[in-house]
Amino acid sequence: MNLNTRLAYVLSPCLWAIITITLVIMAYPHAQHGPAWLIFQHDSDLPNPEINYINKYSGSSENWRKSSMTNLLALMHNVQLKNNFPVLEYSIEGHVGGEDIWARSVMSAMTNLGFTPLVVENVREAVELYSNVGDLTAMVLLEDANVAECWENRRNQKFRCAQSKFHPNDIPIWKMFSFTFWPSCAHPLGEAWCLVPENYKSWSPTFGHTYLGYSIEAECSQTGFVPWKTRRNRTYILAKNSDYFHNTKIELTKVINDLSEENAGFEFAMGIDGFEVPHVENLGRLAQAEFHQALGQSKALIGLGDPVVSPSPHDALCRGVAFINPIASWNEERKWDRSKWSTQHPALAYLDPPYVYNVLHSDTEAIKSAIRQAMQTEVSRRVPAHMTVEAMKERVDRIVLEDWRERAREIQAMRSSFGGERFMWGKQV
C-alpha cells in the first residue's frame, strides 16, 4: 500500500469507521466499548485500484467486523478484493433512529467518494490499530463523551487513548472529532471539532460546530411519488409510541375529534403497536419502507413536540407531504419573532405554507386550520439544496481533507501565549 495513503478513524454512537485518503472510525459512548468502522480510499497508484464493491450487504455486524478486518489485511498485502458495503451496526439490525439515518448517510457519501468500510470491535482496538498505522491516519471520530474521557485521562499512565508522554503513539487530540447528534457538544480544541447533523449555527450564531449533515435524497427518490390528487385526505401522526401522545402539549384528541366530526373525509393515521385512539387508523409498527409508503400516501405530517430534529419531516417534504411544526415556546410580546421560537424542528421554522405550518402548540384552532389547509393545498417534492447527495459529498470531502493540524496549532499558539498547555503533535499525514 502506498504510504502516502492516509487513514482516518471514527468512533461514535452510530458505530462506523472510515478510511479515506484517510481512515475513519466511530463507536459507542464508552472509550473501551462498541464496534468501529474503518474506510479506505483507493488512490490511483495503489497496486489494485479496481475494487469491486457489492452494495448489498446483509448479516450480523459481528460477521462484518471479521470480514472487514480480513479485507484490511488483504489490502495491506495487495490482494484483489470484492468488498461488501456495510450499513451501520444498528442499521444492519434494523434500527432506523435519527442517529442511524444520519450515520448511514455519511457512510453512503464516504462510499460514493471511493472509500472502503472496515470494522473494529471497540475504541481500545482502534487505539491499538492507530499505534501501528498512526502515520497514515487523518481523523478519529468519537462521541464527545469519549473525547472528554480520553483528554481527561491523558496524564494517566495506565489509560490509553489520547497521545501523551506516556503513550506517544496514541491518538493526538487534534485528530479526534466528536461525532454527536445534539448541539450540547464539547471538545478540548473547541466546537469546530464537533461534527453534527444539523446546521446548529443557523439556530444560534454562538454555536461553532462543523456541519456535516445528511441527505435523504437518494432513498426518497427510490420510492414513487404519489400524485397529490390520488392521496387520501389523511394526516399522519409522528409518534413512535404512546408516550408521545401522553406527553404532548397539543390538545390532540380535541383536534382529531373536531375535524372528524366536521368532515368525514378527514383521516388520521399512526404506526404504534397496541395503542388505539378514536378516529385514528393504527397501522401498527412499520418498517422504514412501510412508513415511507404510508407517509407518501398522506397529505400532512403532524408533530407532537417530540422527537426533536427527527429526519421524518424531511422525509415528508421530499414526498410532497406538508409538515405541521409545533412551537413549544415563543416571545409572548412578539410571537412573530422566529428567532425566539423553540420548535420541534428548528431547521424548518423559517419555512412557510404550503410546505411547513409553524403553529403554537397551545393554539388548537390554528392547528385545525393548518390541517384543513394542508388537505386542500398541493405540495411538490422538496429537497433543500444543502441536503442533496452532491452537497453531502462535497461537505464530507472538504471536512476530511481540512488541515485540522494547522488549525489546532493556531488555537494552541493563542492559548500557550497565556500559559496554556502545549500538545504533542505527532506526524503530519
Side-chain angles (χ1 to χ4, degrees):
M1 175 174 291
N2 188 322
L3 292 182
N4 289 326
T5 302
R6 291 172 287 167
L7 305 177
Y9 298 88
V10 190
L11 297 140
S12 92
C14 302
L15 320 176
W16 55 276
I18 312 160
I19 300 178
T20 69
I21 280 184
T22 43
L23 173 96
V24 190
I25 311 173
M26 307 162 78
Y28 279 117
H30 305 293
Q32 305 305 323
H33 304 286
W37 298 39
L38 302 89
I39 304 166
F40 283 107
Q41 172 174 316
H42 302 291
D43 289 342
S44 59
D45 56 351
L46 287 178
N48 295 291
E50 299 299 326
I51 303 299
N52 183 10
Y53 294 97
I54 302 175
N55 296 329
K56 295 180 180 178
Y57 177 77
S58 62
S60 72
S61 55
E62 176 63 26
N63 288 339
W64 173 249
R65 280 195 290 273
K66 291 177 181 178
S67 65
S68 64
M69 185 55 68
T70 301
N71 289 347
L72 172 58
L73 295 175
L75 277 174
M76 296 180 73
H77 287 86
N78 303 329
V79 175
Q80 184 80 16
L81 297 178
K82 288 188 176 181
N83 196 12
N84 289 332
F85 174 80
V87 291
L88 302 175
E89 171 116 351
Y90 282 169
S91 298
I92 290 175
E93 298 170 358
H95 293 241
V96 290
E99 292 89 342
D100 308 303
I101 292 170
W102 171 40
R104 185 167 60 246
S105 178
V106 175
M107 179 64 75
S108 177
M110 288 283 184
T111 303
N112 289 334
L113 288 166
F115 309 144
T116 299
L118 218 59
V119 181
V120 297
E121 179 66 26
N122 51 42
V123 180
R124 176 183 55 77
E125 289 191 4
V127 174
E128 291 293 340
L129 187 56
Y130 182 91
S131 67
N132 290 287
V133 294
D135 289 351
L136 307 177
T137 303
M139 303 178 73
V140 179
L141 312 185
L142 307 93
E143 192 177 62
D144 55 339
N146 295 72
V147 175
E149 185 178 14
C150 289
W151 182 244
E152 290 168 0
N153 284 279
R154 65 193 182 281
R155 297 187 180 92
N156 184 343
Q157 189 171 355
K158 297 181 180 180
F159 192 95
R160 291 197 56 191
C161 188
Q163 187 183 61
S164 68
K165 65 179 181 180
F166 302 115
H167 303 291
N169 294 322
D170 285 359
I171 307 166
I173 189 62
W174 61 271
K175 287 187 180 182
M176 290 187 192
F177 291 77
S178 296
F179 187 89
T180 179
F181 200 79
W182 307 107
S184 54
C185 172
H187 190 284
L189 287 171
E191 287 183 338
W193 271 257
C194 296
L195 307 182
V196 292
E198 296 285 347
N199 188 4
Y200 294 129
K201 288 182 182 178
S202 68
W203 300 13
S204 171
T206 61
F207 288 133
H209 312 81
T210 294
Y211 170 53
L212 186 57
Y214 62 96
S215 174
I216 47 86
E217 182 183 28
E219 188 174 47
C220 178
S221 63
Q222 292 174 1
T223 60
F225 186 87
V226 180
W228 192 82
K229 291 182 179 180
T230 67
R231 302 184 191 193
R232 300 158 68 176
N233 286 325
R234 183 170 72 184
T235 299
Y236 196 95
I237 301 169
L238 179 56
K240 297 178 181 179
N241 55 57
S242 60
D243 289 343
Y244 292 96
F245 279 84
H246 298 318
N247 296 332
T248 184
K249 295 182 180 179
I250 295 175
E251 290 188 275
L252 189 62
T253 301
K254 178 174 176 56
V255 169
I256 294 171
N257 289 342
D258 288 356
L259 289 178
S260 297
E261 293 176 4
E262 172 186 312
N263 189 330
F266 283 175
E267 301 177 21
F268 295 86
M270 62 183 182
I272 301 175
D273 280 340
F275 182 67
E276 300 301 328
V277 176
H279 305 298
V280 178
E281 179 184 9
N282 191 348
L283 304 177
R285 184 175 180 83
L286 301 175
Q288 187 177 40
E290 295 171 327
F291 165 68
H292 289 159
Q293 182 180 27
L295 182 62
Q297 294 170 346
S298 305
K299 291 184 177 179
L301 174 71
I302 184 171
L304 303 184
D306 280 311
V308 178
V309 298
S310 164
S312 295
H314 288 300
D315 287 325
L317 294 178
C318 188
R319 290 168 172 81
V321 178
F323 177 55
I324 299 172
N325 192 24
I327 306 171
S329 64
W330 55 90
N331 184 323
E332 191 63 40
E333 296 180 355
R334 300 174 16 166
K335 293 181 180 179
W336 52 266
D337 186 353
R338 304 190 192 203
S339 68
K340 304 300 182 184
W341 288 356
S342 174
T343 68
Q344 179 166 349
H345 210 301
L348 300 178
Y350 288 90
L351 289 181
D352 290 313
Y355 294 103
V356 177
Y357 296 83
N358 295 292
V359 292
L360 306 184
H361 67 181
S362 59
D363 193 338
T364 302
E365 290 305 314
I367 294 172
K368 292 192 292 185
S369 176
I371 293 175
R372 292 190 195 99
Q373 291 181 56
M375 296 303 105
Q376 299 169 3
T377 310
E378 185 170 355
V379 178
S380 59
R381 186 189 297 273
R382 185 183 190 281
V383 178
H386 63 277
M387 295 189 72
T388 64
V389 170
E390 288 304 311
M392 178 68 186
K393 287 169 59 179
E394 186 280 329
R395 281 194 304 274
V396 170
D397 197 47
R398 171 174 47 81
I399 290 168
V400 169
L401 299 180
E402 174 81 28
D403 190 348
W404 293 100
R405 188 171 189 259
E406 183 57 32
R407 290 187 64 173
R409 280 187 182 278
E410 294 173 359
I411 293 172
Q412 194 234 7
M414 180 272 292
R415 292 178 179 176
S416 62
S417 68
F418 292 93
E421 179 179 357
R422 296 190 65 82
F423 306 143
M424 296 183 68
W425 293 103
K427 297 181 180 179
Q428 178 67 57
V429 297

